[in-house]
Amino acid sequence: MIILLTLIFTVSAYFIGALNGAILLCKVKGWPDPRLHGSKNPGATNILRLHHAQAASLVLIFDLLKGTLPVYIAYFVNIPPFAIGFIGIATCLGHIFPPYFGFKGGKGVATGLGTLLPLGMDMTGLLIFTWLLTIALSGYASLAAIVTAIAAPIFIEFIKPEFTLPVLMLSSLIILRHISNIHRLISGKEKKIVNWKQ
């Protein structure tokens, strides 16, 4: 029964994750496809660059919620931690490879964070603090995502160690999606979202 339930949740999570907030908002507003402009990543950061903070906030909330809901419901019905990890990863894979949009999606940062929110307010607070601190110190949204992804398995090991392996898998996926950003950071070509020198 648990195997069948996990399979149903995993498949459902993938298709829920594929509902990309940035692309849908741009379609509703009649704005250009965010995958063709700015950083070409259909996420909240690129929407902030291309439009305004309100639009970016809507995308962020949408992508957080679609990550949170499948994991929270799975947690509520007592699906085992390892299986919940696969459900969270499936949600992120849906965001990254959405079948509704030609399998060209975002990098899964907000959705990945959303999948971790049900693990507790202490975990959530640590992740948000890490992301904000990195942004404040560096100005790079991509670096903040990478640092937070690296920190997440460390945090969860001390908070809910039964979720360490799934979180490690999720973090690895997010870091892999940022390989191009890592190259640009090293070469000094990455664009800052905040520039304190201005």
Side-chain angles (χ1 to χ4, degrees):
M1 181 64 182
I2 289 294
I3 294 175
L4 178 60
L5 196 59
T6 299
L7 181 61
I8 293 170
F9 267 80
T10 301
V11 173
S12 300
Y14 172 78
F15 286 103
I16 290 171
L19 296 168
N20 185 286
I23 298 173
L24 289 173
L25 180 63
C26 287
K27 285 183 178 292
V28 169
K29 290 286 190 179
W31 294 337
D33 191 329
R35 295 171 295 177
L36 303 175
H37 301 275
S39 67
K40 299 182 180 179
N41 177 56
T45 302
N46 197 30
I47 292 296
L48 178 61
R49 288 194 184 102
L50 296 174
H51 301 289
H52 47 74
Q54 184 180 9
S57 297
L58 288 173
V59 170
L60 178 62
I61 292 168
F62 184 91
D63 287 347
L64 281 170
L65 285 176
K66 76 179 184 184
T68 299
L69 289 175
V71 172
Y72 179 78
I73 296 171
Y75 187 80
F76 184 76
V77 300
N78 294 319
I79 289 178
F82 188 72
I84 289 177
F86 279 108
I87 293 166
I89 290 168
T91 312
C92 288
L93 285 173
H95 180 84
I96 295 168
F97 304 109
Y100 315 125
F101 307 113
F103 297 95
K104 295 178 180 179
K107 295 185 177 178
V109 177
T111 304
L113 175 59
T115 65
L116 299 177
L117 296 185
L119 300 183
M121 291 304 297
D122 43 3
M123 181 67 175
T124 301
L126 285 168
L127 292 175
I128 292 174
F129 175 78
T130 302
W131 190 87
L132 289 174
L133 180 62
T134 309
I135 283 281
L137 293 175
S138 72
Y140 293 108
S142 57
L143 182 61
I146 294 163
V147 171
T148 304
I150 292 171
I154 300 171
F155 293 153
I156 202 66
E157 175 66 22
F158 290 98
I159 298 170
K160 290 187 177 178
E162 65 270 25
F163 287 98
T164 300
L165 181 58
V167 171
L168 180 61
M169 294 165 62
L170 179 60
S171 293
S172 299
L173 176 62
I174 291 173
I175 292 169
L176 285 172
R177 285 293 290 173
H178 282 80
I179 291 297
S180 60
N181 300 89
I182 292 170
H183 289 314
R184 288 195 297 271
L185 284 165
I186 292 171
S187 64
K189 296 179 180 178
E190 182 77 332
K191 293 182 179 179
K192 292 185 176 184
I193 191 173
V194 177
N195 194 338
W196 301 113
K197 294 181 180 180
Q198 290 183 347

